[in-house]
Amino acid sequence: DGGITQSPKYLFRKEGQNVTLSCEQNLNHDAMYWYRQDPGQGLRLIYYSQIVNDFQKGDIAEGYSVSREKKESFPLTVTSAQKNPTAFYLCASSITPPGIFQETQYFGPGTRLLVL
Amino acid sequence: AQSVTQPDIHITVSEGASLELRCNYSYGATPYLFWYVQSPGQGLQLLLKYFSGDTLVQGIKGFEAEFKRSQSSFNLRKPSVHWSDAAEYFCAVGVTGTASKLTFGTGTRLQVTL
């Protein structure tokens, strides 16, 4: 079955530690996205990538980094510079890079990051 | 910049009753509009979307939404709610000609009483 997988489901971070969240898709989608979800705040865009080897900052990129070396994969690293990382992180993908029209984004099951 | 408002943080309805969740957007041109549903601890599932054409859009699970340009609204409706519809619902707006950025509302949590 085609879809988006995120791992791990739960992740614990110690003070000063970098952690990496995995996102893989087998939908052959070009574009991929990372969102952060906090209670009562909806979803906020962290980073997005329209094609391999290219990515752009979203609205809240500070303290995060990404890479896009393969079409199927878009890992997110939460660095020690992110002072309030506790949140639910959602990865999404869409079929084509944006151009004339908006493509639907499909979401993975999410990773909950907790700080020890 | 575009924005989305979901004025109701929490709504409770009885099973079998009708439902309407409100969504208002702010955007200068014709937006692309989406409704997603999220069960606790899960990702988002697309319910329906509006890109163009007929302003009444049918989605999955018996949901529908109507785009009203004059009111800048895209309210979600269901004629008869089932207990399994209890979840959080998000409205989102996307724009044309830019990087694919969706702007989400803050969500409406639906509780269904038996």
Side-chain angles (χ1 to χ4, degrees):
Chain A
D1 288 337
I4 303 172
T5 57
Q6 291 187 240
S7 62
K9 189 173 177 67
Y10 296 95
L11 185 57
F12 298 91
R13 194 190 90 163
K14 295 180 181 178
E15 201 70 35
Q17 186 181 41
N18 293 353
V19 292
T20 297
L21 285 62
S22 169
C23 177
E24 303 276 334
Q25 55 97 1
N26 60 3
L27 300 168
N28 199 33
H29 286 178
D30 292 291
M32 298 185 74
Y33 317 83
W34 275 105
Y35 292 89
R36 170 178 172 143
Q37 185 178 23
D38 296 279
Q41 294 194 44
L43 279 72
R44 293 179 290 168
L45 183 65
I46 305 173
Y47 268 98
Y48 60 97
S49 168
Q50 300 173 247
I51 56 173
V52 174
N53 293 322
D54 184 60
F55 49 83
Q56 306 295 326
K57 291 182 179 180
D59 300 319
I60 55 165
E62 186 174 351
Y64 300 97
S65 66
V66 293
S67 63
R68 186 83 187 279
E69 298 176 0
K70 299 187 298 182
K71 187 176 184 178
E72 308 79 31
S73 178
F74 190 41
L76 173 74
T77 297
V78 183
T79 75
S80 57
Q82 173 50 244
K83 298 307 180 187
N84 184 24
T86 297
F88 192 52
Y89 291 86
L90 288 158
C91 178
S93 68
S94 63
I95 192 167
T96 59
I100 298 172
F101 59 92
Q102 177 81 30
E103 283 291 351
T104 302
Q105 294 185 21
Y106 296 91
F107 285 80
T111 292
R112 185 164 300 279
L113 176 61
L114 300 165
V115 177
L116 295 176
Chain B
Q2 68 273 22
S3 66
V4 178
T5 301
Q6 293 182 248
D8 302 306
I9 297 173
H10 185 242
I11 283 182
T12 300
V13 300
S14 300
E15 189 174 38
S18 63
L19 172 70
E20 183 168 29
L21 302 182
R22 295 183 290 166
C23 172
N24 293 98
Y25 68 89
S26 174
Y27 180 57
T30 300
Y32 298 115
L33 295 160
F34 305 81
W35 274 101
Y36 286 88
V37 61
Q38 184 182 35
S39 297
Q42 303 296 317
L44 274 65
Q45 181 183 21
L46 179 70
L47 284 176
L48 47 78
K49 61 188 178 186
Y50 172 78
F51 282 3
S52 65
D54 193 347
T55 56
L56 184 62
V57 179
Q58 302 296 320
I60 63 171
K61 304 185 179 186
F63 285 93
E64 67 177 25
E66 185 171 13
F67 171 57
K68 293 186 177 180
R69 184 189 305 275
S70 62
Q71 299 177 19
S72 298
S73 69
F74 188 57
N75 294 349
L76 182 71
R77 302 192 295 245
K78 187 170 184 178
S80 178
V81 170
H82 188 262
W83 64 266
S84 61
D85 292 324
E88 189 150 23
Y89 292 80
F90 292 94
C91 181
V93 61
V95 300
T96 59
T98 67
S100 190
K101 295 176 66 174
L102 286 181
T103 298
F104 284 84
T106 52
T108 297
R109 180 165 297 280
L110 173 65
Q111 183 177 355
V112 179
T113 58
L114 301 177

